[in-house]
Amino acid sequence: MNLIIIDDEPLQHFIMERMLSLYLSNSVDHITYSSNAIEILKFLETNRNNADELPDMIFLDLNMPVMNGWDFLDSYKRLQQKVAKSITIYVVSSSIDPGDILRSKKYLSVKDYIIKPMTKLALKKIFDGDSPNEMMPN
């Protein structure tokens, strides 16, 4: 399984790296960490026909400079039909705004909205195929 973590805070990269290596090392083949959503979009566009290079999952922060998570989701929505495989996106944000949570549900590629910090239980549920449902209203 290939993952991409998009977050502008290096601390969040460190937290995800530690949690993934401690709890899910056997499930993950490759992890790309980026603070630049534009670079990830370019990577997805360039590799859109190469399923082996594409991630299986993206963990996406919302509040970032240059391109925020919403802009990434809007751009990915236009690219999504051209990508060789389905990519699941998890929004991972410190925002507890119910409007953000509801807005994330409008994107078909977004599987769930997770309130930071990421927890061991949320990761376990994701990799077991369940929904973390940490803050998603019904």
Side-chain angles (χ1 to χ4, degrees):
M1 177 170 290
N2 295 325
L3 307 178
I4 293 179
I5 315 297
I6 308 171
D7 198 308
D8 63 318
E9 294 185 35
L11 179 60
Q12 294 302 322
H13 291 193
F14 176 76
I15 289 169
M16 287 294 289
E17 182 178 21
R18 292 289 291 163
M19 290 184 74
L20 290 166
S21 67
L22 286 172
Y23 305 121
L24 302 165
S25 59
N26 295 335
S27 303
V28 179
D29 298 315
H30 181 74
I31 306 171
T32 300
Y33 296 92
S34 180
S35 58
N36 188 328
I38 294 171
E39 287 180 359
I40 297 302
L41 277 172
K42 288 178 184 175
F43 170 81
L44 296 175
E45 174 69 32
T46 300
N47 293 286
R48 71 178 187 263
N49 295 319
N50 187 350
D52 292 338
E53 289 295 318
L54 294 169
D56 298 288
M57 275 184 219
I58 296 174
F59 292 91
L60 175 67
D61 184 26
L62 291 178
N63 299 312
M64 297 181 291
V66 185
M67 175 180 268
N68 67 35
W70 299 120
D71 293 337
F72 176 88
L73 288 169
D74 288 337
S75 296
Y76 179 70
K77 187 176 182 179
R78 291 187 292 274
L79 175 65
Q80 186 174 359
Q81 298 300 322
K82 302 173 191 170
V83 174
K85 74 177 182 183
S86 177
I87 300 171
T88 303
I89 299 175
Y90 288 90
V91 171
V92 183
S93 178
S94 57
S95 171
I96 59 171
D97 182 344
D100 285 343
I101 296 167
L102 289 173
R103 184 177 175 188
S104 74
K105 286 183 163 187
K106 294 179 181 177
Y107 295 90
L108 297 176
S109 58
V110 174
K111 174 79 173 180
D112 215 336
Y113 188 105
I114 301 164
I115 304 293
K116 286 181 183 179
M118 178 66 76
T119 64
K120 175 183 175 182
L121 180 60
L123 274 179
K124 183 178 180 338
K125 286 182 177 184
I126 288 168
F127 285 90
D128 286 347
D130 299 329
S131 175
N133 272 335
E134 300 234 331
M135 269 305 271
M136 289 293 276
N138 293 329

